[in-house]
Amino acid sequence: MFRRLSSTVTIKPTPSKAHLHGFLPSSLFPTGYLLTGVHAGVKKTTALDVGVILSTSDRPTSAAACFTRNAFKAAPVLVSDEILAANGGRARGIVVNSGCANAVTGQQGLKDAWAMVRATDGLLPSHSDKLEHETLVMSTGVIGQHLPISRILDGISSKAPTSLGADFAAWERAAKAFMTTDTFPKLRARKFTIGRVEYHMAGMDKGAGMIHPDMGPASTSFAPKSLHATLLGCILTDAPVSPRSLQSALTYAVERSFNSISVDGDMSTNDTIIVLANGAAAGKEVKEIDEETDKESYEIFKTELTGFAADLAKLVVRDGEGATKFVTVTVKEANSFADAHNIASRISTSALVKTALYGEDANWGRILAATGSVPLAPLPNTSTPAVIEPTTVSVTFIPSDGSTPLPVLVNGEPEIVDEVRAKAILSEEEFGIEVRLGMGDKEATYWTCDFSYEYVKINGDYRS
């Protein structure tokens, strides 16, 4: 006979995320783009579910992408990858639908993705460098169901052209068209300067569940082949960047942003991040930024892109399904970035760690167990894997208000922990976990959230 044990964990409501979205002035948005979002009838509600983005620049538009490495890549991933490879990293349009992932849908899924591409190609302004297909496609929603393609094509061809714009409302409509279980449209914009020229960068993404991306670069000839509910995102800039350098910068940025977040540890079939660089803010005499010919400008752009991508990625974690905590996990003093990144990932995906975060329980033993479960890479010039030395490891909770951190393990020795203060830190909506390995000088950061009762509720009836 079993007896139900009482729980001391309080079921907490999910905090409001409304403050994470607000008006952005038009002066922050890049020039040379038209966007919109429409309701085409993919979703059962009247919510926007098809987004269209067009580059109108006179200059060639560079395009780069990172796609999921899931074996069951969705039709839009395969189609977009093929277009980028065929075009050598050039594209001028993006079309996205939400409500249906068009994943594991066989040949019909591929036909539907190509139909979305052709319909959006038809909206692009004429261009001297026009290619056969210039639109990249993304989809998100339920896996294994076919798109209501006739409705989507009508939305693209008939509804989208009447509402295309470049103001905040247009950008917001496009961002809303990405949403599934998201509670707010994730939209950001900023200015930056390279060589005394002011450029702009804006982007949107979506994601709240099925979030643990592992994305690699598109299959363009200049992309390395052995690099490291869905996350979709696009970043648009009016800076001129060569295709190869745009892909290189995006690959670097994704590893330190979108590949460094986790809500539930599940990788989607559709994860895609696309960047377009149309050069519209540069004069015709300004050459494309390239890592080989203008390394200084390239490094500035790469840094800007990485920081911007991290801002977008963190919005996904903040909006994690049922999440009540936003937690920054930093692993320091590792032998390599890869080791630090893998350990931070393991901590961030541990169900035991994430449930303790929800319960506001400073159970640091779970953090340590997750840390010790990760195999490390061999040391340079050896074939023997490195091993963590327990006597050099420290664990600390970091308050978000800048007050004194709370060490709970120092050089392998447990501290006498002030449990009241530990509870106070973990009761905040935002805080950090720091692990020092005492092995090297490399570090990596992951952003994660807790597991709540609401997460189970949302995913228990996702298709209902």
Side-chain angles (χ1 to χ4, degrees):
M1 184 174 182
F2 295 97
R3 178 169 61 91
R4 183 183 295 274
L5 299 177
S6 61
S7 173
T8 59
V9 177
T10 302
I11 299 179
K12 301 182 289 293
T14 303
S16 171
K17 313 294 174 64
H19 65 286
L20 296 172
H21 175 66
F23 175 79
L24 295 171
S26 297
S27 60
L28 293 179
F29 293 113
T31 56
Y33 292 99
L34 293 175
L35 311 85
T36 194
V38 300
H39 173 68
V42 184
K43 295 176 180 174
K44 299 175 183 178
T45 66
T46 59
L48 304 181
D49 50 24
V50 170
V52 173
I53 300 169
L54 309 176
S55 171
T56 61
S57 174
D58 291 336
R59 296 181 59 135
T61 299
S62 297
C66 284
F67 299 114
T68 183
R69 285 189 263 225
N70 194 300
F72 293 95
K73 292 179 177 63
V77 171
L78 297 174
V79 169
S80 293
D81 195 23
E82 183 176 335
I83 290 170
L84 278 175
N87 293 357
R90 299 286 187 186
R92 295 192 293 145
I94 298 173
V95 62
V96 59
N97 78 270
S98 56
C100 180
N102 193 15
V104 198
T105 46
Q107 290 302 309
Q108 186 59 49
L110 289 169
K111 291 177 182 177
D112 291 345
W114 279 111
M116 292 174 66
V117 167
R118 287 190 293 270
T120 309
D121 281 344
L123 303 181
L124 288 165
S126 59
H127 198 283
S128 58
D129 296 327
K130 185 171 176 60
L131 302 165
E132 183 180 4
H133 296 297
E134 297 187 272
T135 298
L136 307 179
V137 57
M138 298 187 285
S139 297
T140 179
V142 179
I143 295 171
Q145 297 183 359
H146 290 294
L147 294 171
I149 192 61
S150 60
R151 294 182 211 163
I152 292 175
L153 297 181
D154 181 65
I156 295 169
S157 301
S158 301
K159 296 180 180 179
T162 64
S163 60
L164 285 166
D167 59 1
F168 170 75
W171 284 82
E172 186 180 47
R173 285 194 301 274
K176 287 181 176 180
F178 278 67
M179 295 169 60
T180 51
T181 57
D182 306 68
T183 64
F184 66 92
K186 300 170 177 65
L187 176 63
R188 290 291 183 267
R190 66 168 62 161
K191 299 178 183 179
F192 63 101
T193 301
I194 300 178
R196 298 183 181 178
V197 179
E198 183 177 86
Y199 298 112
H200 308 80
M201 187 178 289
M204 59 199 77
D205 61 356
K206 63 81 53 187
M210 197 181 280
I211 301 296
H212 187 76
D214 180 23
M215 295 181 282
S219 299
T220 45
S221 60
F222 41 79
K225 301 299 190 293
S226 59
L227 292 170
H228 55 256
T230 299
L231 184 146
L232 298 183
C234 65
I235 299 173
L236 312 176
T237 181
D238 51 17
V241 187
S242 71
R244 69 173 180 180
S245 292
L246 189 64
Q247 184 64 65
S248 178
L250 177 62
T251 302
Y252 178 91
V254 162
E255 197 65 17
R256 289 155 180 80
S257 58
F258 296 105
N259 279 4
S260 296
I261 61 173
S262 188
V263 169
D264 45 26
D266 283 306
M267 184 200 306
S268 170
T269 56
N270 293 57
D271 289 337
T272 301
I273 300 296
I274 295 170
V275 177
L276 298 184
N278 69 7
K284 291 186 177 180
E285 72 284 355
V286 179
K287 294 181 180 180
E288 288 185 327
I289 295 168
D290 188 87
E291 58 198 300
E292 295 292 334
T293 60
D294 189 358
K295 188 169 180 60
E296 182 179 354
S297 295
Y298 168 75
E299 289 296 331
I300 295 172
F301 177 79
K302 185 177 75 171
T303 299
E304 290 289 341
L305 181 63
T306 301
F308 189 78
D311 287 346
L312 284 177
K314 285 185 277 189
L315 290 177
V316 174
V317 178
R318 292 184 185 278
D319 198 25
E321 290 172 346
T324 69
K325 308 292 182 187
F326 175 82
V327 183
T328 301
V329 179
T330 304
V331 176
K332 298 183 175 182
E333 299 177 0
N335 286 328
S336 67
F337 170 80
D339 281 349
H341 195 257
N342 290 338
I343 292 172
S345 172
R346 183 67 186 88
I347 295 168
S348 299
T349 56
S350 166
L352 289 177
V353 171
K354 292 165 78 70
T355 50
L357 296 177
Y358 178 75
E360 299 171 358
D361 177 12
N363 193 338
W364 56 266
R366 295 180 176 182
I367 298 169
L368 205 63
T371 299
S373 70
V374 178
L376 304 183
L379 293 170
N381 303 316
T382 72
S383 59
T384 305
V387 177
I388 293 175
E389 171 52 58
T391 60
T392 65
V393 177
S394 301
V395 178
T396 304
F397 289 106
I398 312 293
S400 61
D401 61 4
S403 59
T404 304
L406 180 66
V408 292
L409 181 78
V410 177
N411 293 328
E413 295 289 340
E415 295 287 283
I416 298 175
V417 178
D418 181 343
E419 294 290 349
V420 174
R421 181 147 191 271
K423 180 77 172 180
I425 293 173
L426 270 66
S427 68
E428 297 295 324
E429 290 183 17
E430 184 171 343
F431 55 89
I433 296 170
E434 180 183 279
V435 177
R436 291 182 178 270
L437 301 179
M439 300 176 71
D441 60 359
K442 300 297 189 293
E443 64 180 77
T445 297
Y446 238 82
W447 296 282
T448 192
C449 57
D450 55 344
F451 267 157
S452 69
Y453 292 93
E454 184 66 15
Y455 177 85
V456 177
K457 180 181 177 182
I458 291 170
N459 285 281
D461 61 2
Y462 182 74
R463 297 199 305 164
S464 302

